[in-house]
Amino acid sequence: MKYEITGKTKLTALLGSPVSHSISPQMHNEAFHELGLDYIYLAFDITPDTLETAVAGLKAAGICGFNLTMPLKVHILPLLDELTPAARLAGAVNTVMVRDGRLIGHTTDGTGYMRSVTDAGFDIIGKKMTLLGAGGAATAICVQAALDGVAAIDMFKRKNNSWDKTEAFCDSVASETGCQIRLLDINNTNLLAESISESTILTNATSVGMAPNTALSPICDQSLLHKELIVSDIIYNPRETLLLKQAKAQGCRYFNGLYMLLYQGAAAFTCWTGLEMPVDLIKKKYFSN
Ligand code: NAP
């Protein structure tokens, strides 16, 4: 059956740069089609320099909502009228909903991640997480894990110029959620070993190991990955990173970032349409591991 654009077709979109590799257009358009919704999702290559003009134009044209990917998740903040509590805490937005001419910023990376944990068959509520990285994805995961009731999070990053800002972020999430959050130096191997030994889950939210640098892992000493540990890498290209290969060799249970990608999209879809994305169909068509 062919897609039919009508005079009433509602526009949704992805803004970012680059965007041509993204599977979000296929995922959303397939879901709109499956549910018989008169919506379309397009990808636009937009940089921080063109963001304000693009958003004004799309808003004037009556767009329903849009996603933001790298490098725009923080640049969008001053252009928004409202933020959800999770987006405010994370300081980043990947989904915007337009309601009565107001732009409302959401973050669905964190909910997408937490749903992928459940989908993989794990329960980490009340448990401890070792979280590697402190970029856009890591902060969204940290906020949602804390909001959902993960008891303690050790966030590891390099001691570089974003350290103080990240420390302030950790303090504010800890005080607003009651989760115990520590910011630690990723190059301190003793602290990393201690944290992993106490954790139920190790989550890699750095870009280390992502294609084309597939020979790298954020964990140098594979023996730190104890048998009871769940190892999660939010990278999905490659499907099996070196970290996940190490986890497999150590006998750990593990999963990649493919379903985080699916579920962050599903949450955006619900935000715009009020309906559940038909995730089983989308999984089968676009997300085979
Ligand atoms: P980002 O904001 O650029 O953050 C990158 C993070 O990686 C930073 O915390 C940075 O550490 C850390 N890092 C980079 N090189 C490092 C190194 N050599 N050693 C230690 N840490 C290093 O990027 P992002 O948007 O958060 O994305 C991070 C990864 O997640 C990417 O691979 C992306 O593809 C993936 N991702 C997946 C999904 C999904 O749906 N599955 C969604 C979003 C992102 P410092 O803070 O120490 O500088």
Side-chain angles (χ1 to χ4, degrees):
M1 203 197 302
K2 78 178 180 56
Y3 295 87
E4 203 172 11
I5 308 294
T6 72
K8 291 180 283 184
T9 300
K10 293 181 177 151
L11 176 63
T12 58
L14 172 66
L15 314 187
S17 186
V19 288
S20 56
H21 66 284
S22 172
I23 62 168
S24 290
Q26 283 133 295
M27 158 166 67
H28 285 285
N29 288 319
E30 183 77 33
F32 292 146
H33 186 60
E34 175 67 16
L35 298 185
L37 300 173
D38 192 5
Y39 282 68
I40 190 167
Y41 185 103
L42 299 175
F44 297 109
D45 200 300
I46 304 292
T47 61
D49 289 347
T50 53
L51 180 63
E52 189 169 358
T53 317
V55 169
L58 290 168
K59 193 176 159 188
I63 194 163
C64 294
F66 51 92
N67 284 136
L68 297 134
T69 187
M70 272 168 31
L72 304 177
K73 291 182 183 182
V74 176
H75 290 93
I76 190 70
L77 294 176
L79 305 176
L80 301 175
D81 298 300
E82 216 179 293
L83 292 175
T84 61
R88 181 181 48 76
L89 270 175
V93 159
N94 77 332
T95 301
V96 173
M97 183 166 89
V98 186
R99 201 171 51 203
D100 302 326
R102 289 171 60 75
L103 302 181
I104 303 159
H106 297 246
T107 173
T108 67
D109 281 334
T111 50
Y113 178 73
M114 292 302 285
R115 194 168 167 192
S116 78
V117 174
T118 311
D119 193 271
F122 303 120
D123 178 7
I124 57 168
I125 305 309
K127 312 275 173 53
K128 177 165 178 167
M129 169 188 269
T130 299
L131 178 58
L132 308 180
T139 50
I141 290 170
C142 179
V143 166
Q144 198 59 45
L147 286 170
D148 287 358
V150 167
I153 301 169
D154 283 344
M155 182 179 244
F156 283 87
K157 74 174 250 78
R158 294 174 293 188
K159 273 215 154 173
N160 54 16
N161 55 11
S162 55
W163 181 270
D164 291 348
K165 190 175 161 226
T166 309
E167 203 159 45
F169 160 81
C170 290
D171 290 346
S172 84
V173 180
S175 77
E176 291 210 27
T177 62
C179 179
Q180 286 178 29
I181 304 179
R182 299 192 296 173
L183 180 64
L184 301 165
D185 181 356
I186 201 166
N187 291 314
N188 185 328
T189 35
N190 290 336
L191 279 177
L192 187 60
E194 180 196 301
S195 175
I196 292 175
S197 73
E198 294 166 351
S199 286
T200 298
I201 187 163
L202 167 71
T203 302
N204 177 38
T206 72
S207 43
V208 179
M210 186 171 79
N213 301 312
T214 53
L216 301 178
S217 166
I219 297 294
C220 301
D221 179 0
Q222 173 172 317
S223 70
L224 297 184
L225 309 177
H226 55 87
K227 254 205 172 88
E228 292 73 39
L229 188 69
I230 302 160
V231 179
S232 150
D233 200 327
I234 71 162
I235 292 171
Y236 50 85
N237 179 22
R239 300 284 194 264
E240 194 170 280
T241 57
L242 178 55
L243 173 66
L244 295 187
K245 289 192 171 96
Q246 293 170 317
K248 189 196 241 174
Q250 292 294 109
C252 305
R253 293 163 300 165
Y254 61 92
F255 61 100
N256 66 21
L258 211 52
Y259 288 172
M260 170 178 170
L261 181 68
L262 168 67
Y263 290 125
Q264 63 75 31
F269 184 91
T270 301
C271 208
W272 301 324
T273 65
L275 299 170
E276 271 287 318
M277 179 183 267
V279 285
D280 289 340
L281 171 87
I282 304 297
K283 257 186 195 174
K284 231 183 270 161
K285 270 199 105 154
Y286 302 107
F287 288 86
S288 47
N289 255 300

